[in-house]
Amino acid sequence: MANIEFSREQKTLLVAQIQKYFDQELDQEIGDFDAEFLLDFFSEKVGGYYYNQGLHDARALLDDKLDTITESFYELEKVTDFN
């Protein structure tokens, strides 16, 4: 798996959200550098778990949709002497 990377805009937004969390929930101020470092740490150490879960969820959704499509084909079948 490739490293999880965010655009500059995404990273700026995520850093601001981390800072807001620290301020509101922990009553601590955290600077841009520290918040970005924390984001990078979690992206590297925990991001793979979220990424894999996303893949698992997407695969389950696709399997469900393919089952529905397959069922639709059977519903379209005509009765013949070969059935």
Coordinates of all heavy atoms in Angstrom, one line a residue:
M1 N 0.8 -1.2 0.0 CA 0.0 0.0 0.0 C 0.9 1.2 0.0 O 1.9 1.3 0.7 CB -0.9 0.0 1.2 CG -1.8 1.2 1.3 SD -2.8 1.2 2.9 CE -1.7 2.3 3.9
A2 N 0.5 2.2 -0.8 CA 1.3 3.4 -0.9 C 0.9 4.3 0.4 O -0.1 4.0 1.1 CB 0.9 4.2 -2.1
N3 N 1.8 5.2 0.7 CA 1.6 6.1 1.8 C 0.3 6.9 1.6 O 0.0 7.2 0.5 CB 2.7 7.0 2.0 CG 4.0 6.3 2.5 OD1 3.9 5.3 3.1 ND2 5.1 7.0 2.3
I4 N -0.4 7.1 2.7 CA -1.6 8.0 2.6 C -1.1 9.4 2.5 O -0.4 9.9 3.4 CB -2.5 7.7 3.8 CG1 -3.0 6.3 3.8 CG2 -3.7 8.7 3.8 CD1 -3.8 5.9 5.0
E5 N -1.5 10.1 1.5 CA -1.1 11.5 1.3 C -2.3 12.3 1.1 O -3.3 11.9 0.4 CB -0.1 11.6 0.1 CG 1.2 10.9 0.4 CD 2.2 11.1 -0.8 OE1 2.1 12.1 -1.5 OE2 3.0 10.2 -0.9
F6 N -2.3 13.5 1.6 CA -3.4 14.5 1.5 C -2.9 15.7 0.7 O -1.7 16.0 0.7 CB -3.9 15.0 2.9 CG -4.4 13.9 3.7 CD1 -3.7 13.4 4.8 CD2 -5.6 13.3 3.4 CE1 -4.2 12.4 5.6 CE2 -6.2 12.3 4.2 CZ -5.4 11.8 5.3
S7 N -3.8 16.4 0.0 CA -3.4 17.6 -0.7 C -3.1 18.6 0.4 O -3.4 18.5 1.5 CB -4.6 18.1 -1.6 OG -5.7 18.5 -0.8
R8 N -2.5 19.7 0.0 CA -2.2 20.8 0.9 C -3.5 21.3 1.6 O -3.5 21.6 2.8 CB -1.5 21.9 0.2 CG -0.8 22.9 1.1 CD 0.4 22.3 1.7 NE 0.8 22.8 3.0 CZ 0.9 22.0 4.1 NH1 0.7 20.7 4.1 NH2 1.2 22.5 5.3
E9 N -4.5 21.5 0.7 CA -5.8 22.0 1.3 C -6.4 21.0 2.3 O -6.9 21.4 3.4 CB -6.8 22.2 0.2 CG -6.5 23.4 -0.7 CD -7.5 23.5 -1.9 OE1 -8.2 22.5 -2.2 OE2 -7.5 24.6 -2.5
Q10 N -6.4 19.7 2.0 CA -6.9 18.7 2.9 C -6.1 18.7 4.2 O -6.7 18.7 5.3 CB -6.8 17.3 2.3 CG -7.8 17.1 1.1 CD -7.6 15.8 0.4 OE1 -6.4 15.4 0.2 NE2 -8.6 15.1 0.0
K11 N -4.8 18.8 4.1 CA -3.9 18.8 5.3 C -4.2 20.0 6.1 O -4.2 19.9 7.4 CB -2.4 18.7 4.8 CG -1.6 18.1 5.9 CD -0.2 17.7 5.3 CE 0.4 16.7 6.3 NZ 1.7 16.2 5.8
T12 N -4.3 21.1 5.5 CA -4.6 22.4 6.3 C -5.9 22.2 7.0 O -6.0 22.6 8.2 CB -4.7 23.6 5.3 OG1 -3.4 23.7 4.7 CG2 -5.0 24.8 6.1
L13 N -7.0 21.7 6.4 CA -8.2 21.5 7.0 C -8.1 20.5 8.2 O -8.7 20.7 9.3 CB -9.3 21.0 6.0 CG -10.7 20.6 6.6 CD1 -11.3 21.9 7.1 CD2 -11.5 20.0 5.5
L14 N -7.4 19.4 8.0 CA -7.3 18.3 9.0 C -6.5 18.9 10.2 O -6.8 18.6 11.4 CB -6.6 17.1 8.4 CG -7.5 16.3 7.4 CD1 -6.6 15.3 6.7 CD2 -8.7 15.7 8.1
V15 N -5.4 19.6 9.9 CA -4.6 20.2 11.0 C -5.5 21.2 11.8 O -5.5 21.1 13.1 CB -3.4 21.0 10.4 CG1 -2.8 21.9 11.4 CG2 -2.4 20.0 10.0
A16 N -6.4 21.9 11.2 CA -7.3 22.8 11.9 C -8.3 22.0 12.7 O -8.6 22.5 13.9 CB -8.0 23.7 10.9
Q17 N -8.7 20.9 12.2 CA -9.7 20.1 13.0 C -9.0 19.5 14.2 O -9.6 19.4 15.3 CB -10.3 19.0 12.1 CG -11.2 19.6 11.1 CD -11.8 18.5 10.2 OE1 -11.3 17.4 10.1 NE2 -12.8 18.9 9.5
I18 N -7.7 19.1 14.1 CA -7.0 18.5 15.2 C -6.8 19.6 16.3 O -7.0 19.4 17.5 CB -5.6 18.0 14.7 CG1 -5.8 16.7 13.9 CG2 -4.7 17.7 15.9 CD1 -4.6 16.2 13.2
Q19 N -6.4 20.8 15.8 CA -6.3 21.9 16.7 C -7.6 22.3 17.5 O -7.6 22.5 18.7 CB -5.8 23.2 16.0 CG -4.3 23.0 15.5 CD -3.9 24.2 14.6 OE1 -4.6 24.6 13.7 NE2 -2.7 24.7 14.9
K20 N -8.7 22.2 16.7 CA -10.0 22.5 17.3 C -10.3 21.4 18.4 O -10.8 21.8 19.5 CB -11.1 22.5 16.3 CG -12.4 22.9 16.7 CD -13.4 23.0 15.6 CE -14.8 23.2 16.1 NZ -15.8 23.3 14.9
Y21 N -10.0 20.2 18.1 CA -10.3 19.1 19.0 C -9.5 19.3 20.3 O -10.0 19.2 21.4 CB -10.0 17.7 18.4 CG -10.1 16.6 19.3 CD1 -11.4 16.0 19.6 CD2 -9.0 16.1 20.0 CE1 -11.5 15.0 20.5 CE2 -9.2 15.1 21.0 CZ -10.4 14.5 21.2 OH -10.6 13.5 22.1
F22 N -8.2 19.6 20.1 CA -7.4 19.8 21.3 C -7.9 20.9 22.2 O -7.9 20.8 23.4 CB -5.9 20.0 20.9 CG -5.1 18.7 20.8 CD1 -5.3 17.8 19.8 CD2 -4.1 18.5 21.8 CE1 -4.5 16.6 19.8 CE2 -3.4 17.3 21.8 CZ -3.6 16.4 20.8
D23 N -8.3 22.0 21.5 CA -8.8 23.2 22.2 C -10.1 22.9 22.9 O -10.2 23.2 24.1 CB -8.9 24.3 21.2 CG -9.4 25.6 21.9 OD1 -8.8 25.9 23.0 OD2 -10.3 26.3 21.4
Q24 N -11.1 22.3 22.2 CA -12.4 22.1 22.8 C -12.5 20.9 23.8 O -13.1 21.0 24.8 CB -13.4 21.9 21.7 CG -13.6 23.2 20.9 CD -14.7 23.0 19.8 OE1 -15.0 21.9 19.4 NE2 -15.1 24.1 19.2
E25 N -11.8 19.8 23.4 CA -12.0 18.6 24.2 C -10.9 18.4 25.3 O -11.1 17.8 26.3 CB -11.9 17.4 23.3 CG -13.0 17.3 22.3 CD -14.4 17.3 22.9 OE1 -14.6 16.7 23.9 OE2 -15.3 17.9 22.2
L26 N -9.7 18.9 25.0 CA -8.6 18.8 26.0 C -8.2 20.1 26.6 O -7.3 20.1 27.5 CB -7.4 18.1 25.3 CG -7.7 16.8 24.6 CD1 -6.5 16.3 23.8 CD2 -8.1 15.7 25.6
D27 N -8.8 21.2 26.2 CA -8.5 22.5 26.7 C -7.0 22.8 26.6 O -6.3 23.3 27.6 CB -8.9 22.6 28.2 CG -9.0 24.1 28.6 OD1 -9.3 25.0 27.8 OD2 -8.9 24.4 29.8
Q28 N -6.4 22.4 25.5 CA -5.0 22.6 25.2 C -4.8 23.2 23.8 O -5.5 22.9 22.9 CB -4.2 21.3 25.3 CG -4.1 20.7 26.6 CD -3.2 19.4 26.6 OE1 -2.6 19.1 25.5 NE2 -3.2 18.7 27.6
E29 N -3.9 24.1 23.7 CA -3.6 24.7 22.4 C -2.5 23.8 21.8 O -1.5 23.4 22.5 CB -3.1 26.1 22.5 CG -4.3 27.1 22.8 CD -3.9 28.5 22.7 OE1 -2.9 28.8 22.0 OE2 -4.6 29.4 23.3
I30 N -2.6 23.6 20.5 CA -1.5 22.9 19.8 C -1.2 23.6 18.5 O -2.1 24.1 17.8 CB -2.0 21.4 19.5 CG1 -0.9 20.6 18.8 CG2 -3.3 21.4 18.7 CD1 -1.2 19.1 18.7
G31 N 0.1 23.8 18.2 CA 0.5 24.6 17.1 C 0.3 23.8 15.8 O 0.1 22.6 15.8
D32 N 0.5 24.5 14.7 CA 0.4 23.9 13.3 C 1.4 22.7 13.2 O 1.0 21.7 12.7 CB 0.7 24.9 12.2 CG -0.4 26.0 12.1 OD1 -1.5 25.8 12.7 OD2 -0.2 27.0 11.4
F33 N 2.6 23.0 13.6 CA 3.7 21.9 13.4 C 3.3 20.7 14.2 O 3.4 19.6 13.7 CB 5.0 22.5 13.9 CG 6.1 21.4 13.7 CD1 6.7 21.1 12.5 CD2 6.6 20.7 14.9 CE1 7.7 20.2 12.4 CE2 7.6 19.8 14.8 CZ 8.1 19.5 13.5
D34 N 2.9 20.8 15.4 CA 2.6 19.7 16.3 C 1.3 19.0 15.8 O 1.3 17.7 15.7 CB 2.3 20.1 17.7 CG 3.6 20.5 18.4 OD1 4.7 20.1 18.0 OD2 3.6 21.3 19.4
A35 N 0.3 19.7 15.3 CA -0.9 19.1 14.8 C -0.6 18.3 13.5 O -1.1 17.3 13.3 CB -1.9 20.2 14.5
E36 N 0.3 18.9 12.6 CA 0.6 18.2 11.4 C 1.5 17.0 11.7 O 1.3 16.0 11.0 CB 1.4 19.2 10.5 CG 1.6 18.6 9.1 CD 2.1 19.7 8.1 OE1 1.9 20.9 8.3 OE2 2.8 19.2 7.1
F37 N 2.4 17.1 12.7 CA 3.1 15.9 13.1 C 2.2 14.8 13.6 O 2.4 13.6 13.2 CB 4.2 16.3 14.1 CG 5.0 15.2 14.6 CD1 6.1 14.8 13.9 CD2 4.8 14.5 15.8 CE1 6.9 13.8 14.3 CE2 5.6 13.5 16.2 CZ 6.6 13.1 15.5
L38 N 1.2 15.2 14.4 CA 0.3 14.2 14.9 C -0.5 13.6 13.7 O -0.7 12.3 13.7 CB -0.7 14.9 15.9 CG -1.6 14.0 16.7 CD1 -0.8 13.0 17.5 CD2 -2.5 14.8 17.6
L39 N -1.0 14.4 12.8 CA -1.7 13.9 11.6 C -0.8 12.9 10.8 O -1.3 11.8 10.5 CB -2.1 15.0 10.7 CG -2.7 14.6 9.4 CD1 -4.0 13.8 9.6 CD2 -3.0 15.9 8.6
D40 N 0.4 13.2 10.6 CA 1.4 12.3 9.9 C 1.6 11.0 10.7 O 1.6 9.9 10.1 CB 2.7 13.0 9.6 CG 2.6 14.1 8.6 OD1 1.6 14.2 7.9 OD2 3.5 15.0 8.6
F41 N 1.7 11.1 12.0 CA 1.9 9.9 12.8 C 0.7 9.0 12.7 O 0.9 7.8 12.4 CB 2.1 10.3 14.3 CG 2.1 9.2 15.2 CD1 3.2 8.3 15.3 CD2 0.9 8.9 15.9 CE1 3.2 7.3 16.2 CE2 0.9 7.8 16.8 CZ 2.0 7.0 16.9
F42 N -0.5 9.5 12.8 CA -1.7 8.7 12.7 C -1.9 8.2 11.3 O -2.4 7.0 11.1 CB -2.9 9.4 13.3 CG -3.1 9.4 14.7 CD1 -2.8 10.4 15.5 CD2 -3.5 8.2 15.4 CE1 -2.9 10.4 16.9 CE2 -3.6 8.1 16.8 CZ -3.3 9.2 17.5
S43 N -1.6 8.9 10.3 CA -1.7 8.5 9.0 C -0.8 7.3 8.7 O -1.2 6.3 8.1 CB -1.4 9.6 8.0 OG -2.3 10.6 8.0
E44 N 0.4 7.4 9.3 CA 1.4 6.3 9.1 C 1.0 5.0 9.9 O 1.1 3.9 9.4 CB 2.8 6.8 9.4 CG 3.8 5.7 9.2 CD 5.2 6.2 9.7 OE1 5.5 7.4 9.7 OE2 6.0 5.3 10.0
K45 N 0.7 5.3 11.1 CA 0.5 4.1 12.1 C -0.9 3.5 12.1 O -1.1 2.3 12.3 CB 0.9 4.5 13.5 CG 2.3 5.0 13.7 CD 3.3 3.9 13.3 CE 4.7 4.4 13.5 NZ 5.7 3.4 13.1
V46 N -1.9 4.4 11.8 CA -3.3 3.9 12.0 C -4.0 3.9 10.6 O -5.0 3.2 10.4 CB -4.0 4.8 13.0 CG1 -5.5 4.3 13.1 CG2 -3.3 4.7 14.3
G47 N -3.5 4.8 9.7 CA -4.2 5.0 8.4 C -4.5 3.7 7.7 O -5.5 3.5 7.1
G48 N -3.5 2.7 7.7 CA -3.7 1.5 7.0 C -4.9 0.7 7.5 O -5.5 0.0 6.7
Y49 N -5.2 0.8 8.7 CA -6.3 0.0 9.3 C -7.6 0.6 8.7 O -8.5 -0.1 8.3 CB -6.4 0.1 10.8 CG -5.2 -0.6 11.4 CD1 -4.1 0.0 11.9 CD2 -5.3 -2.0 11.6 CE1 -3.0 -0.6 12.5 CE2 -4.2 -2.7 12.2 CZ -3.1 -2.0 12.6 OH -2.1 -2.7 13.2
Y50 N -7.7 1.9 8.6 CA -8.9 2.6 8.1 C -9.0 2.3 6.6 O -10.1 2.1 6.0 CB -8.9 4.1 8.3 CG -9.2 4.5 9.7 CD1 -8.3 4.7 10.7 CD2 -10.6 4.5 10.1 CE1 -8.6 5.0 12.0 CE2 -10.9 4.8 11.4 CZ -9.9 5.1 12.4 OH -10.2 5.4 13.6
Y51 N -7.9 2.4 5.9 CA -7.8 2.1 4.5 C -8.3 0.7 4.2 O -9.1 0.5 3.3 CB -6.4 2.3 4.0 CG -6.2 2.1 2.5 CD1 -6.4 3.1 1.6 CD2 -5.7 0.8 2.0 CE1 -6.2 2.9 0.2 CE2 -5.5 0.6 0.7 CZ -5.7 1.7 -0.2 OH -5.6 1.5 -1.6
N52 N -7.8 -0.3 4.9 CA -8.2 -1.7 4.7 C -9.6 -1.9 5.0 O -10.3 -2.6 4.3 CB -7.3 -2.6 5.6 CG -5.9 -2.7 5.1 OD1 -5.6 -2.3 4.0 ND2 -5.0 -3.2 5.9
Q53 N -10.2 -1.2 6.1 CA -11.6 -1.4 6.4 C -12.4 -0.8 5.3 O -13.5 -1.3 4.9 CB -11.9 -0.7 7.7 CG -13.3 -0.9 8.1 CD -13.7 -2.3 8.4 OE1 -13.0 -3.1 9.0 NE2 -14.8 -2.8 7.8
G54 N -12.0 0.3 4.7 CA -12.7 0.9 3.5 C -12.7 0.0 2.4 O -13.7 -0.1 1.7
L55 N -11.6 -0.7 2.1 CA -11.6 -1.7 1.0 C -12.5 -2.8 1.3 O -13.2 -3.3 0.4 CB -10.1 -2.2 0.8 CG -9.1 -1.3 0.2 CD1 -7.7 -2.0 0.2 CD2 -9.5 -0.8 -1.2
H56 N -12.5 -3.3 2.5 CA -13.4 -4.4 2.9 C -14.9 -4.0 2.7 O -15.7 -4.7 2.2 CB -13.1 -4.8 4.4 CG -14.1 -5.8 4.9 ND1 -14.0 -7.1 4.6 CD2 -15.2 -5.7 5.7 CE1 -15.0 -7.8 5.2 NE2 -15.7 -6.9 5.9
D57 N -15.2 -2.8 3.2 CA -16.6 -2.3 3.0 C -17.0 -2.1 1.6 O -18.1 -2.5 1.2 CB -16.7 -0.9 3.7 CG -16.6 -1.0 5.3 OD1 -16.7 -2.1 5.8 OD2 -16.5 0.0 5.9
A58 N -16.0 -1.6 0.8 CA -16.3 -1.5 -0.7 C -16.5 -2.8 -1.3 O -17.4 -3.0 -2.2 CB -15.2 -0.7 -1.4
R59 N -15.7 -3.8 -1.0 CA -15.8 -5.1 -1.5 C -17.1 -5.8 -1.1 O -17.8 -6.4 -2.0 CB -14.6 -6.0 -1.0 CG -14.5 -7.3 -1.7 CD -13.3 -8.2 -1.2 NE -12.1 -7.5 -1.2 CZ -11.4 -7.2 -0.1 NH1 -11.8 -7.6 1.1 NH2 -10.2 -6.5 -0.2
A60 N -17.5 -5.6 0.1 CA -18.8 -6.1 0.5 C -20.0 -5.5 -0.2 O -20.9 -6.2 -0.6 CB -19.0 -5.9 2.0
L61 N -19.9 -4.2 -0.4 CA -20.9 -3.5 -1.2 C -21.0 -4.0 -2.6 O -22.1 -4.3 -3.2 CB -20.7 -2.0 -1.2 CG -21.7 -1.1 -2.0 CD1 -23.1 -1.2 -1.3 CD2 -21.2 0.3 -2.0
L62 N -19.8 -4.1 -3.2 CA -19.7 -4.6 -4.6 C -20.3 -6.1 -4.7 O -21.1 -6.4 -5.6 CB -18.3 -4.6 -5.1 CG -18.1 -5.0 -6.6 CD1 -18.9 -4.2 -7.5 CD2 -16.6 -5.0 -6.9
D63 N -19.9 -6.9 -3.8 CA -20.4 -8.3 -3.7 C -22.0 -8.3 -3.7 O -22.6 -9.1 -4.4 CB -19.8 -9.1 -2.6 CG -18.4 -9.5 -2.8 OD1 -17.9 -9.4 -3.9 OD2 -17.7 -9.8 -1.8
D64 N -22.5 -7.4 -2.8 CA -24.0 -7.4 -2.7 C -24.6 -6.9 -4.0 O -25.6 -7.5 -4.4 CB -24.3 -6.4 -1.5 CG -25.8 -6.3 -1.3 OD1 -26.4 -7.4 -1.1 OD2 -26.3 -5.2 -1.2
K65 N -24.0 -5.9 -4.6 CA -24.6 -5.4 -5.9 C -24.5 -6.5 -7.0 O -25.4 -6.6 -7.8 CB -23.9 -4.1 -6.3 CG -24.1 -3.0 -5.4 CD -25.5 -2.5 -5.3 CE -25.6 -1.4 -4.3 NZ -27.0 -1.0 -4.1
L66 N -23.4 -7.2 -7.0 CA -23.2 -8.2 -8.0 C -24.2 -9.4 -7.8 O -24.7 -9.9 -8.8 CB -21.8 -8.8 -8.0 CG -20.7 -7.8 -8.6 CD1 -19.3 -8.4 -8.4 CD2 -21.0 -7.5 -10.1
D67 N -24.5 -9.7 -6.5 CA -25.5 -10.7 -6.2 C -26.9 -10.2 -6.8 O -27.6 -11.0 -7.3 CB -25.6 -11.0 -4.7 CG -24.4 -11.8 -4.2 OD1 -23.7 -12.4 -5.0 OD2 -24.2 -11.8 -3.0
T68 N -27.2 -9.0 -6.6 CA -28.5 -8.4 -7.1 C -28.5 -8.5 -8.6 O -29.6 -8.9 -9.1 CB -28.6 -7.0 -6.6 OG1 -28.6 -6.9 -5.2 CG2 -29.9 -6.4 -7.1
I69 N -27.5 -8.2 -9.3 CA -27.4 -8.2 -10.7 C -27.6 -9.7 -11.2 O -28.3 -9.9 -12.1 CB -26.1 -7.6 -11.3 CG1 -26.1 -6.1 -11.0 CG2 -25.9 -7.9 -12.7 CD1 -24.8 -5.4 -11.3
T70 N -26.9 -10.6 -10.5 CA -27.0 -12.0 -10.9 C -28.4 -12.5 -10.8 O -28.9 -13.2 -11.6 CB -26.0 -12.8 -10.1 OG1 -24.7 -12.4 -10.3 CG2 -26.1 -14.3 -10.4
E71 N -29.0 -12.1 -9.7 CA -30.4 -12.5 -9.4 C -31.3 -12.0 -10.5 O -32.3 -12.6 -11.0 CB -30.9 -12.0 -8.1 CG -30.3 -12.8 -6.9 CD -30.7 -12.2 -5.6 OE1 -31.6 -11.3 -5.5 OE2 -30.0 -12.5 -4.6
S72 N -31.1 -10.8 -11.0 CA -31.8 -10.1 -12.0 C -31.7 -10.9 -13.3 O -32.7 -11.0 -14.1 CB -31.4 -8.7 -12.3 OG -31.7 -7.9 -11.1
F73 N -30.5 -11.4 -13.6 CA -30.4 -12.3 -14.8 C -31.2 -13.5 -14.8 O -31.9 -13.9 -15.7 CB -28.9 -12.7 -15.0 CG -28.1 -11.6 -15.6 CD1 -27.0 -11.1 -15.0 CD2 -28.4 -11.0 -16.9 CE1 -26.2 -10.1 -15.5 CE2 -27.6 -10.1 -17.4 CZ -26.5 -9.6 -16.7
Y74 N -31.3 -14.2 -13.6 CA -32.1 -15.4 -13.4 C -33.6 -15.0 -13.6 O -34.3 -15.8 -14.1 CB -31.8 -16.1 -12.1 CG -30.5 -16.8 -12.1 CD1 -29.5 -16.4 -11.2 CD2 -30.2 -17.9 -12.9 CE1 -28.3 -17.0 -11.2 CE2 -29.0 -18.5 -12.9 CZ -28.0 -18.1 -12.0 OH -26.8 -18.8 -12.0
E75 N -34.0 -13.9 -13.1 CA -35.4 -13.5 -13.3 C -35.8 -13.3 -14.7 O -36.9 -13.4 -15.1 CB -35.6 -12.2 -12.5 CG -35.6 -12.4 -11.0 CD -35.7 -11.1 -10.2 OE1 -35.9 -10.0 -10.8 OE2 -35.5 -11.2 -9.0
L76 N -34.8 -12.9 -15.6 CA -35.1 -12.7 -17.0 C -35.1 -13.9 -17.8 O -35.6 -13.9 -18.9 CB -34.0 -11.7 -17.6 CG -34.0 -10.3 -17.0 CD1 -32.8 -9.5 -17.6 CD2 -35.3 -9.6 -17.4
E77 N -34.6 -15.0 -17.3 CA -34.5 -16.3 -18.0 C -35.9 -16.7 -18.4 O -36.9 -16.6 -17.6 CB -33.8 -17.4 -17.2 CG -32.4 -17.4 -17.4 CD -31.7 -18.7 -16.8 OE1 -32.5 -19.5 -16.2 OE2 -30.5 -18.8 -16.9
K78 N -36.0 -17.3 -19.6 CA -37.3 -17.8 -20.1 C -37.3 -19.4 -19.9 O -36.2 -20.0 -19.9 CB -37.5 -17.6 -21.6 CG -37.4 -16.1 -22.0 CD -38.5 -15.4 -21.4 CE -38.5 -13.9 -21.9 NZ -39.3 -13.0 -21.2
V79 N -38.4 -19.9 -19.6 CA -38.5 -21.3 -19.4 C -38.4 -22.0 -20.8 O -39.0 -21.6 -21.7 CB -39.9 -21.7 -18.8 CG1 -40.0 -23.2 -18.6 CG2 -40.0 -21.0 -17.4
T80 N -37.5 -23.0 -20.8 CA -37.3 -23.8 -22.1 C -37.3 -25.2 -21.7 O -37.3 -25.6 -20.5 CB -36.0 -23.4 -22.7 OG1 -34.9 -23.8 -21.9 CG2 -35.9 -21.9 -23.0
D81 N -37.2 -26.1 -22.7 CA -37.1 -27.5 -22.5 C -35.8 -27.9 -21.8 O -35.7 -29.0 -21.3 CB -37.3 -28.3 -23.8 CG -38.7 -28.1 -24.4 OD1 -39.7 -27.9 -23.6 OD2 -38.9 -28.2 -25.6
F82 N -34.8 -27.1 -21.9 CA -33.5 -27.4 -21.3 C -33.4 -27.1 -19.8 O -32.5 -27.4 -19.2 CB -32.4 -26.6 -22.0 CG -32.3 -27.0 -23.5 CD1 -32.5 -26.1 -24.5 CD2 -31.9 -28.3 -23.8 CE1 -32.4 -26.5 -25.8 CE2 -31.8 -28.7 -25.1 CZ -32.0 -27.8 -26.1
N83 N -34.4 -26.4 -19.2 CA -34.3 -26.1 -17.8 C -34.7 -27.2 -17.0 O -35.5 -28.0 -17.0 CB -35.3 -24.9 -17.5 CG -34.7 -23.6 -18.0 OD1 -33.6 -23.5 -18.4 ND2 -35.5 -22.6 -17.9

